[in-house]
Amino acid sequence: AQSVSQHNHHVILSEAASLELGCNYSYGGTVNLFWYVQYPGQHLQLLLKYFSGDPLVKGIKGFEAEFIKSKFSFNLRKPSVQWSDTAEYFCAVNAPGTYKYIFGTGTRLKVLA
Amino acid sequence: EAQVTQNPRYLITVTGKKLTVTCSQNMNHEYMSWYRQDPGLGLRQIYYSMNVEVTDKGDVPEGYKVSRKEKRNFPLILESPSPNQTSLYFCASSLKELAGGDTQYFGPGTRLTVL
């Protein structure tokens, strides 16, 4: 069965620090990969997604993620975080051609001003 | 404004009292889905629908029903709610062009407490 692991449950950083959030998935075939973000009091929204092509994907607000097929990973990065990046981040996977989605347990990021 | 709406936003009910949480989208999306979010468990998919009259189970369908009679609406029905269904529920919708790779648009969430 598909699964998604987010190893960091809580992360606290100071502004301007670099961020990397881990996401590993288990699935033997081709996958679509997503990072969603939930800012306090707001809806979940898409940060970025990968479904084919360049494994380095750029999203909104300066975020990027790299798909490493050999490691079954899709880690989220940002070179310099801001206080406004405080949010909960979810990694998700789905198998192309299907409409079942598996989400990770989420990582709560707190950025200190 | 393009959006997914859910009602009610907050609901406290008692065990066994049937309830419906409505979900509506105005983006003409074919795909709609329901999730529940629980601490430490992330979002888990309950049911999804690929189009009108086409629904399928997600990972945690037990105790829930759905229907898709119109494209814009996808209600979640709890016939006999139990305390373990206390959770935060999200509805989402997307186009169906990238075979699952489409962006999902989420509603604001419904916080349900079953006593």
Side-chain angles (χ1 to χ4, degrees), chain A residues 20 23-25 27-35 48-58 64-77 91-94:
Chain A
E20 181 160 2
C23 173
N24 286 90
Y25 66 92
Y27 184 69
T30 306
V31 291
N32 296 318
L33 294 155
F34 308 82
W35 276 99
L48 48 79
K49 63 182 179 182
Y50 169 84
F51 53 92
S52 67
D54 189 343
L56 183 61
V57 179
K58 295 194 184 300
E64 65 177 31
E66 185 175 12
F67 169 51
I68 303 179
K69 190 174 181 180
S70 61
K71 294 185 178 180
F72 298 90
S73 71
F74 190 56
N75 292 354
L76 181 70
R77 301 193 293 247
C91 182
V93 64
N94 123 290

Side-chain angles (χ1 to χ4, degrees), chain A residues 32 34 36 38 43-46 49 51 88 90 94-106, chain B residues 31 35 37 40-43 45 48 50 57-59 90 96 98-104 106-108:
Chain A
N32 296 318
F34 308 82
Y36 282 87
Q38 187 174 28
H43 304 193
L44 273 141
Q45 58 185 279
L46 183 74
K49 63 182 179 182
F51 53 92
E88 190 162 16
F90 293 93
N94 123 290
T98 75
Y99 292 90
K100 288 186 75 169
Y101 291 85
I102 306 296
F103 279 74
T105 53
Chain B
Y31 177 84
Y35 297 88
Q37 183 180 10
L41 296 176
L43 277 82
Q45 194 171 29
Y48 59 96
M50 287 75 77
K57 296 177 181 178
D59 276 340
F90 289 102
K96 202 165 66 83
L98 297 177
D102 303 277
T103 301
Q104 291 190 78
F106 284 82

